Amino acid sequence: MKNLVLFGCLVLSPLTLSEESANTGKLKWQVNAGINVFQLRHHEYINDPIPSYDNIETGTVFGFGVEQLVDDNQSWGTKLELQDIDGHLLSSFRAIDYKYGFAENWQVGAHLGAAHYDFRTPAFGYTAGLGLFYQPFAWKNWGLSVEAQYYDKIARDKLHADDPKDSNAGPDSFIDIQNIVLSVTYSF
């Protein structure tokens, strides 16, 4: 594809660039929606062993993010994601969202970020995850993804009326969540 390179109003020269190289440095916005399959554990009693994970459940997920193509194979970005976990809102902000293209139409990714879980009282913690992304050229702006995510020790103060109050309960409770997210992505 031939493009004219403009600097101010001065035409420098026509260049032939690959489509990906032409997009290097540009922002790519994305929205995704899908389902999550999750397990959680709630540790309320500080002197008891950490409980095992609950049964597997499902919920919905919606995300909005932006990424910047660094070169033909790599991109960095950030993302806000909202999930329904056991009837409560889990929101996460991916401060680092990295993707690497290892084959045509395929990328692997990893992310780190912060999380907020709206259960009884606000709870805050960290998130990390790995993902696989598929976006064939024929699908244009559409793609599919599967991600494994972990939310570590989302902590909250025990201020709610439903919280245990005995001496074994302690002032805080902790929630760990592990899930798999399957989603459809639209890029623009």
Side-chain angles (χ1 to χ4, degrees), residues 62-78:
F62 177 79
F64 180 75
V66 61
E67 66 182 39
Q68 183 176 26
L69 194 63
V70 177
D71 60 30
D72 288 347
N73 295 323
Q74 301 180 82
S75 66
W76 290 96
T78 188

Side-chain angles (χ1 to χ4, degrees), residues 12-175:
L12 296 176
S13 65
L15 295 176
T16 303
L17 300 173
S18 73
E19 187 172 327
E20 285 187 1
S21 296
N23 291 327
T24 300
K26 292 185 181 179
L27 296 180
K28 180 175 160 184
W29 299 90
Q30 297 177 333
V31 293
N32 70 290
I35 62 167
N36 58 20
V37 179
F38 66 89
Q39 288 182 301
L40 64 87
R41 64 181 174 196
H42 193 174
H43 189 196
E44 296 222 66
Y45 299 98
I46 58 173
N47 293 323
D48 291 353
I50 295 175
S52 59
Y53 282 95
D54 291 341
N55 294 328
I56 295 173
E57 297 183 46
T58 60
T60 56
V61 61
F62 177 79
F64 180 75
V66 61
E67 66 182 39
Q68 183 176 26
L69 194 63
V70 177
D71 60 30
D72 288 347
N73 295 323
Q74 301 180 82
S75 66
W76 290 96
T78 188
K79 184 177 183 180
L80 174 66
E81 193 166 62
L82 306 173
Q83 298 187 46
D84 172 26
I85 300 288
D86 201 27
H88 304 282
L89 178 64
L90 172 66
S91 52
S92 60
F93 173 72
R94 297 181 184 186
I96 299 172
D97 196 359
Y98 173 77
K99 291 180 185 167
Y100 178 79
F102 66 93
E104 187 175 355
N105 307 321
W106 291 94
Q107 293 178 311
V108 293
H111 70 267
L112 293 172
H116 171 267
Y117 187 48
D118 191 21
F119 175 75
R120 294 184 188 159
T121 58
F124 301 93
Y126 302 97
T127 179
L130 300 170
L132 182 64
F133 307 89
Y134 179 66
Q135 187 173 7
F137 183 73
W139 292 5
K140 300 194 179 187
N141 296 358
W142 294 94
L144 298 174
S145 66
V146 60
E147 292 183 274
Q149 301 175 343
Y150 182 69
Y151 295 84
D152 186 40
K153 293 184 181 42
I154 301 174
R156 66 175 197 81
D157 295 329
K158 290 185 178 172
L159 302 173
H160 195 269
D162 292 338
D163 289 331
K165 305 290 189 226
D166 61 43
S167 61
N168 188 28
D172 298 323
S173 70
F174 301 94
I175 301 167

